[in-house]
């Protein structure tokens, strides 16, 4: 239920943002609000409380955010209150960000290495991986002492194994086939 609701509401918000040509501005505001709701979980709990009337919840939102966030974002919060979907806010934001990445052809992944990579090395791997995948790639470096040497890159469920251990495993498999 949460995933379906997040997808529907995230898509609706994203479509509206595209129509208004405010994709980046809305992203900034909804992610900032998401951080506020994470830092103040009791506020989100109040918004999810079925015993509190929707009119009171909207009044609280208006008092807290009117003039501080765009009207479109405040209206979206009101819709979530009216439809009793405020509890899905974080998942909606995540889906909005996913849609934004897809639109910008942006992918995220991890690059595993035995030792930490420099920013320059990571940038080169991002560029090369991006060429292979046809999108901009942002990689986060993770340490894996089992690699022996080289790197493994995982992006969107795809694996590029340029590690020494991967090459040895591949060589072993080829030798066993003969």
């Amino acid at each position: 239920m949460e995933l379906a609701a997040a997808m529907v509401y995230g898509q609706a918000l994203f479509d509206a943002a595209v129509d208004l040509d405010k994709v980046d501005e809305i992203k900034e505001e909804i992610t900032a609000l998401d951080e506020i709701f994470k830092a103040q979980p009791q506020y989100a709990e109040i918004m999810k409380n079925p015993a509190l009337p929707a009119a009171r919840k909207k009044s609280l939102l208006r008092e807290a955010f009117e003039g501080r966030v765009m009207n479109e974002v405040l209206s979206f919060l009101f819709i979530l209150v009216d439809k009793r979907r405020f509890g899905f806010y974080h998942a909606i934001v995540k889906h909005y960000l996913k849609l934004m990445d897809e639109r910008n052809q942006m992918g995220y992944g991890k690059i595993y290495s035995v030792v930490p990579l420099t920013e320059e090395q990571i940038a080169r791997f991002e560029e090369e991986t991006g060429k292979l995948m046809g999108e901009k790639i942002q990689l986060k470096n993770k340490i894996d002492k089992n690699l022996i040497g080289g790197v493994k890159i995982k992006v969107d469920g795809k694996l590029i194994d340029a590690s020494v251990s991967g090459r040895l495993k591949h060589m072993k498999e080829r030798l066993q086939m003969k």
Side-chain angles (χ1 to χ4, degrees):
M1 169 75 169
E2 180 178 354
L3 181 60
M7 291 174 71
V8 168
Y9 285 88
Q11 184 72 56
L13 180 60
F14 186 76
D15 290 344
V18 169
D19 290 346
L20 295 167
D21 196 26
K22 295 183 177 182
V23 174
D24 291 326
E25 295 92 333
I26 288 177
K27 174 207 167 225
E28 293 300 319
E29 291 195 1
I30 65 172
T31 54
L33 286 172
D34 194 34
E35 292 301 316
I36 290 169
F37 297 144
K38 282 188 222 171
Q40 302 292 325
Q42 66 276 17
Y43 194 87
E45 288 301 315
I46 290 170
M47 292 298 128
K48 294 188 300 187
N49 185 343
L52 191 64
R56 180 67 183 130
K57 292 176 188 177
K58 288 183 196 179
S59 176
L60 290 170
L61 287 168
R62 193 174 289 110
E63 289 171 27
F65 301 114
E66 191 170 49
R68 293 181 178 94
V69 298
M70 296 171 17
N71 289 334
E72 295 85 355
V73 172
L74 189 58
S75 295
F76 182 71
L77 295 176
F78 291 166
I79 290 168
L80 295 180
V81 166
D82 287 338
K83 300 294 183 181
R84 296 187 176 142
R85 297 291 186 258
F86 204 91
F88 304 139
Y89 186 79
H90 178 70
I92 292 167
V93 171
K94 282 179 65 172
H95 189 68
Y96 183 97
L97 297 175
K98 180 179 178 261
L99 293 169
M100 198 172 165
D101 288 342
E102 287 172 5
R103 180 176 188 235
N104 295 331
Q105 293 183 317
M106 185 70 175
Y108 296 92
K110 294 182 176 116
I111 182 166
Y112 298 89
S113 59
V114 177
V115 295
L117 300 174
T118 65
E119 287 185 27
E120 294 80 23
Q121 289 171 317
I122 294 171
R124 277 189 305 199
F125 281 113
E126 288 172 340
E127 184 178 333
E128 292 301 316
T129 306
K131 286 178 187 175
L132 283 172
M133 301 188 78
E135 61 184 3
K136 295 176 223 155
I137 301 292
Q138 190 173 38
L139 298 171
K140 188 173 198 170
N141 191 202
K142 298 285 185 178
I143 305 303
D144 183 350
K145 299 288 184 184
N146 297 321
L147 293 179
I148 304 171
V151 297
K152 273 188 194 178
I153 301 172
K154 286 186 181 178
V155 177
D156 296 333
K158 296 175 185 86
L159 175 67
I160 301 168
D161 191 347
S163 67
V164 173
S165 59
R167 290 182 189 147
L168 289 172
K169 180 181 173 190
H170 181 69
M171 194 178 340
K172 178 183 173 187
E173 290 169 355
R174 285 192 7 209
L175 289 171
Q176 288 176 340
M177 293 172 79
K178 292 183 179 185

